[in-house]
Every structure is written in C-alpha cells, then in structure tokens.
Amino acid sequence: MRSTPVIFLFSLLCCAAVQAQNELPLRMDNSKIKPLQKLLDSSLQTNLRDELASHQEWNDLIVQKKMAVGLVDLSNPEKVRFARVNGNHMMYAASLPKIAILLAAMDAIEKGELKETTEVKKDMRLMISKSDNAASTRMIDRVGYEKLESVMCDPKYAFYDEQKGGGLWVGKRYGSGGETNREPLKNLSHAASVTQVCRYYYLLANGKLVNEKRSKQMLDIMEDPELHHKFVNTLDKIAPNARLFRKSGSWRTYHSDSILVWGEDGNRRYILVALIDDANGEQIIRDLVKPIEKVLKKPVL
C-alpha cells in the first residue's frame, strides 16, 4: 500500500510529460533544441530525394532549380529529422514571406516599438490567414523596412544570410507605389528559401521566436488558415482533425506554401515547405502531401 502514492505520482509525471509534448509551443529543455541544420538526417534525405525524383515533372523542375522542398519530422520532438532539396536556393515567394512581417511586428511589440492595438492584431490575422495585401502593407508601413531587415539578419535568427544563399526577405509593400528595399543577392522583393522557412517553423514550434509568449501568439494567428488551397486542400481530406499552421503565396508562375501539421496522432507531426516556379505549381503542391507522408512513414535506413 505504501507504494501507491509513488505510483500515482509517477503516473502524474508521465501524463504531464505526454501533455507537454502535445502542446505548442513545445516545452523542451534548451539543451535539447539543436540548430536545425545539425539535424539533417541521411535516411530521410535519401527517401525524400528518391520520392521526388520518381515523379518526372518534379525531378525536371528540381534539376532546373525551379522547385525546392523542405521537410522536418517532429513525430519525436527529442529526435527531430530534417531533409531538403534545393534547400538554400532562394526564390521569389510572393505572400509566403509575410511570416517575416509577423515576426518583425511581434519583436517590435515586445520591445515597445509598436503598440499592440486592436487594429494591429486584426491586421496581423488578416495578413496571415487571408493573405490580405492591404493589411500586410499597413503592417509593413508600421514596422518599416529597416526593422524587417534587422530582424531577418539578426544573428539570433539569421533568417537572411548572404553567406548561405539569402533566405527570408520582405522589401516591397504588397501593392503599388512606395519605396523598396530589395534583398542584395538577387534583387528580390519577397524572397524565401525552404531551409530558412523550415527553421522559422521549427523555432516557432519550440517557442523561440521572440519568446514563448509571443511564439504562442504567433501560432494562434497562423492556425486555422482561411484559404483552403495547396497543402490545406489535401490535408482537409486526409487529416481533417489535424491542427494546421500555415502561410502560402502565389504570383504568376510562382507558387509557395509552408505548413506546420500537428495531428492528433503523434506520427503526423511535421513541417513542410515548397517553393515552385511553374504554371502547374498550385496542383503540384496539393499533390506533394501524400508522397511526403509516405516518406515520413518509411523506416530509418
């Protein structure tokens, strides 16, 4: 009978540990959160490359550097696996880099540089969930290009790094007129690479963008997207109960999507990012989800 309280306490601790792993942001010890680039997994990388190469259209685009894919397996938060194809190849990404505006705004709010008004909170949600260009432009005007650049280049994040092919960048309002601040490598106005976007979601999931409180707030803004195309179109069908945190973009032949999938089943938890320069890009992005989930289920080599 004396052991009963000990068993009860142990059960409580186990339940708490499981609950912590099911929550977002994840409650991981800082010592266990490694830089994503150090979590490259050769098995996942091989399986990802082989799967993408088995689709001739996709393989052709990859060879031409018109398609990039990044994948982070979060099924075991203590053994995260990362793989990417054309990972550091920066491309025009249309509205996807609005996640950079969101981070810069949260950083400014935290530092007292921007007041967190009802209008600001409404615009941040519209900017992400509906990809509203007017709201995005208002947010750019509030934080300014200098702030956007400083946060993306901040060594704390290094989401834009000239030595690693660039990355996330917003240097133009989402509308006509106004000054610009294009990134220095390719003169792009709205840019991304899959590696840097994967890093963004990985740090967000671990509560490391600004701080845990602001990361949670950002996750709330990014959850339940109101545009149901690309990745979301497929996930609505195959995982209707999964939590989805997402930002996409399209302009002419440029199509991009980024998502954190948090399924009820711990085996369906991952980050997926795709950048495509092709007229069929939207459909390709829809078609990517099932092959990617097949890759995630393959045994480690």
Side-chain angles (χ1 to χ4, degrees):
M1 293 296 291
R2 290 180 181 178
S3 63
T4 302
V6 176
I7 294 171
F8 179 70
L9 179 59
F10 179 76
S11 298
L12 282 179
L13 290 172
C14 288
C15 288
V18 170
Q19 185 177 10
Q21 285 199 339
N22 285 327
E23 291 178 356
L24 285 172
L26 293 164
R27 296 179 179 178
M28 295 282 291
D29 187 272
N30 283 338
S31 64
K32 295 182 179 180
I33 303 173
K34 299 178 181 178
L36 188 60
Q37 295 94 320
K38 292 188 177 182
L39 298 174
L40 282 166
D41 183 89
S42 59
S43 177
L44 187 65
Q45 182 70 33
T46 297
N47 290 335
L48 175 63
R49 282 186 178 276
D50 289 350
E51 180 60 39
L52 295 176
S54 71
H55 301 258
Q56 189 61 53
E57 179 188 9
W58 302 357
N59 189 61
D60 290 346
L61 289 171
I62 288 167
V63 170
Q64 297 171 54
K65 291 193 177 295
K66 289 188 173 184
M67 179 171 176
V69 178
L71 177 63
V72 183
D73 179 7
L74 297 173
S75 57
N76 183 347
E78 296 191 3
K79 292 184 179 179
V80 172
R81 301 188 300 154
F82 174 44
R84 73 281 183 270
V85 173
N86 287 333
N88 292 333
H89 181 64
M90 181 173 59
M91 298 171 64
Y92 181 77
S95 290
L96 190 157
K98 289 174 182 177
I99 60 175
I101 306 171
L102 180 63
L103 174 57
M106 284 296 177
D107 185 85
I109 290 169
E110 185 67 20
K111 292 175 179 174
E113 301 165 354
L114 175 65
K115 191 172 181 181
E116 191 175 10
T117 63
T118 301
E119 291 77 13
V120 165
K121 288 189 285 187
K122 181 180 178 181
D123 275 349
M124 288 192 293
R125 173 64 184 177
L126 284 170
M127 174 178 70
I128 298 298
S129 183
K130 289 190 174 181
S131 202
D132 186 282
N133 284 339
S136 305
T137 294
R138 287 193 293 269
M139 290 306 304
I140 290 172
D141 290 345
R142 286 177 180 123
V143 300
Y145 292 135
E146 185 178 344
K147 178 67 175 181
L148 280 162
E149 180 176 347
S150 68
V151 173
M152 291 305 101
C153 297
D154 188 333
K156 177 182 178 182
Y157 303 122
F159 288 136
Y160 186 92
D161 186 341
E162 287 190 54
Q163 304 305 312
K164 296 179 180 178
L168 267 174
W169 189 275
V170 174
K172 183 181 180 297
R173 301 162 91 229
Y174 284 91
S176 60
E179 296 181 355
T180 63
N181 180 39
R182 294 172 180 270
E183 57 81 31
L185 290 178
K186 296 184 177 181
N187 200 38
L188 296 174
S189 56
H190 307 115
S193 67
V194 296
T195 293
Q196 296 294 21
V197 178
C198 282
R199 289 185 60 247
Y200 182 105
Y201 278 87
Y202 171 68
L203 291 171
L204 180 62
N206 280 289
K208 298 303 177 185
L209 292 189
V210 184
N211 54 39
E212 186 175 332
K213 174 187 173 183
R214 296 300 178 189
S215 290
K216 176 65 168 64
Q217 194 173 352
M218 291 168 70
L219 285 164
D220 289 344
I221 290 169
M222 297 180 75
E223 189 169 11
D224 293 330
E226 295 182 48
L227 299 177
H228 290 255
H229 55 4
K230 300 176 185 170
F231 289 151
V232 176
N233 178 274
T234 302
L235 285 161
D236 279 345
K237 298 170 185 174
I238 67 172
N241 295 320
R243 297 176 68 190
L244 306 179
F245 307 81
R246 184 275 192 116
K247 186 72 197 81
S248 70
S250 286
W251 185 73
R252 296 185 178 176
T253 61
Y254 294 95
H255 299 274
S256 58
D257 209 351
S258 60
I259 197 162
L260 165 59
V261 179
W262 201 254
E264 292 180 316
D265 177 359
N267 292 320
R268 180 178 267 139
R269 293 180 179 176
Y270 59 88
I271 295 162
L272 178 59
V273 182
L275 303 174
I276 298 173
D277 176 9
D278 186 80
N280 195 38
E282 202 274 350
Q283 186 61 51
I284 293 172
I285 290 173
R286 290 188 185 201
D287 294 341
L288 262 176
V289 177
K290 290 181 181 179
I292 289 298
E293 292 207 349
K294 184 170 73 173
V295 167
L296 289 167
K297 292 174 183 175
K298 287 187 176 181
V300 176
L301 297 177

